[in-house]
């Protein structure tokens, strides 16, 4: 079993029959979806309904036999499970995540905020001392005049790169927006993620950031030595 699979399997113990479950996006979460689908089809978990965080996860859940619902029908989820691109301690306590390399950050944050318990699953390679030390920070912006943000992102200390798809075309999210990946100095990272998030969110045109601050109740980190549970 690889580390992503071990993390996905470990999240299963937080799911009980009758729960409404947020279904994340990405290769680690895919292992969770496979495990959840297996238990549902075997009848070991009954009455499960899921809210997917992307069209990709919606299709995957359907393939795996996981029934779906919406936040309109189930405004509060019992649990949500999702991957992460970075996991770091937050100054003052709790956990900070970077998310969105898979492009689903907006729906992922909506679903995470609707969950009583949000669980992040990752392999040990995602653990950092500070956000920004390992990966870029994805920021979803409206298509309208998105080029106008370049100077703003620079003023925050970031080298911002408009995301493109494999064919080199501008990447468009499930919500019809585009993504800028903000690269900070990896040696330093982001000293104050809360301040950065606030600066980004007050800017018209910025729809959401990949910063998940203080949302995570448990991070399941899989390594050679086993799956570590970090509480937020
Ligand atoms: C998608 C995400 C993913 O959860 C994140 O990118 C981790 O993906 P993976 O498990 O494939 O490494 O935030 O928007």
């Amino acid at each position: 079993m690889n580390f992503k699979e071990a993390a996905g399997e470990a999240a299963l113990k937080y799911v009980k029959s009758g729960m409404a479950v947020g279904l994340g996006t990405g290769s680690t979460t895919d292992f969770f979806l496979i495990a959840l689908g297996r238990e549902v089809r075997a009848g070991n978990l009954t009455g499960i309904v899921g809210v997917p965080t992307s069209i990709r996860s919606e299709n995957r859940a359907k393939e795996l036999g996981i029934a779906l619902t919406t936040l309109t029908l189930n405004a509060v989820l019992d649990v949500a499970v999702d991957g992460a691109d970075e996991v770091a301690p937050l100054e003052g306590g709790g956990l900070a995540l970077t998310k969105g390399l898979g492009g689903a950050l907006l729906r992922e944050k909506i679903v995470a905020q609707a969950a009583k318990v949000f669980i992040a699953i990752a392999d040990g390679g995602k653990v950092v001392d500070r956000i920004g030390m390992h990966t870029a920070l994805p920021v979803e912006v409206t298509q309208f005049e998105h080029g106008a943000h370049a100077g703003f992102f620079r003023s925050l200390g970031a080298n911002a790169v408009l995301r493109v798809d494999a064919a080199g075309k501008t990447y468009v999210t499930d919500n019809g927006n585009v993504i800028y990946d903000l690269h900070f100095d990896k040696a330093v990272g982001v000293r104050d993620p809360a301040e950065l998030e606030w600066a980004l969110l007050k800017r018209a045109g910025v729809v959401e950031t990949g910063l998940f601050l203080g949302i995570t109740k448990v991070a399941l980190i899989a390594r050679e030595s086993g799956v570590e549970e970090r509480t937020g």
Side-chain angles (χ1 to χ4, degrees):
M1 191 182 287
N2 68 39
F3 297 148
K4 289 184 178 198
E5 186 174 2
E9 286 282 343
L12 203 56
K13 77 168 187 202
Y14 289 89
V15 182
K16 308 283 177 233
S17 288
M19 282 189 166
V21 183
L23 309 174
T25 296
S27 56
T28 314
T29 306
D30 198 54
F31 286 110
F32 169 70
L33 297 181
I34 291 168
L36 183 61
R38 181 189 68 221
E39 296 305 310
V40 165
R41 291 193 309 279
N44 298 328
L45 286 172
T46 57
I48 297 290
V49 287
V51 176
T53 53
S54 60
I55 293 170
R56 185 173 142 201
S57 289
E58 179 180 341
N59 292 336
R60 198 69 177 118
K62 285 177 184 165
E63 273 169 29
L64 293 164
I66 302 166
L68 297 177
T69 185
T70 64
L71 291 181
T72 307
L73 294 173
N74 283 77
V76 180
L77 302 174
D78 297 289
V79 66
V81 177
D82 206 344
D85 301 305
E86 290 183 318
V87 181
L90 257 182
E91 225 178 87
L95 292 167
L97 307 180
T98 306
K99 286 186 50 55
L101 285 194
L105 59 146
L106 173 58
R107 294 188 188 194
E108 288 177 330
K109 205 186 268 190
I110 291 170
V111 168
Q113 288 181 345
K116 286 192 252 182
V117 176
F118 176 68
I119 297 172
I121 51 176
D123 56 85
K126 309 272 185 69
V127 176
V128 289
D129 290 336
R130 218 181 264 153
I131 287 300
M133 289 184 137
H134 175 65
T135 189
L137 171 68
V139 176
E140 183 160 344
V141 303
T142 59
Q143 291 202 41
F144 175 75
E145 294 290 16
H146 63 81
H149 302 303
F152 167 65
F153 292 142
R154 256 197 314 278
S155 78
L156 299 174
N159 172 29
V161 179
L162 178 64
R163 193 178 294 187
V164 293
D165 63 19
K169 282 179 59 185
T170 300
Y171 176 86
V172 178
T173 70
D174 286 352
N175 318 300
N177 299 312
V178 299
I179 290 179
Y180 278 85
D181 289 306
L182 270 51
H183 297 261
F184 293 91
D185 181 352
K186 283 200 166 58
V188 182
V190 175
R191 286 189 195 279
D192 191 340
E195 184 186 67
L196 174 65
E197 187 181 40
W198 176 233
L200 287 164
L201 290 178
K202 2 184 241 207
R203 170 102 176 164
V206 170
V207 178
E208 193 48 86
T209 87
L211 286 167
F212 282 48
L213 306 179
I215 297 174
T216 309
K217 287 276 193 316
V218 181
L220 299 172
I221 314 286
R223 298 192 175 85
E224 198 71 58
S225 51
V227 180
E228 178 201 348
E229 287 196 19
R230 288 196 185 184
T231 45

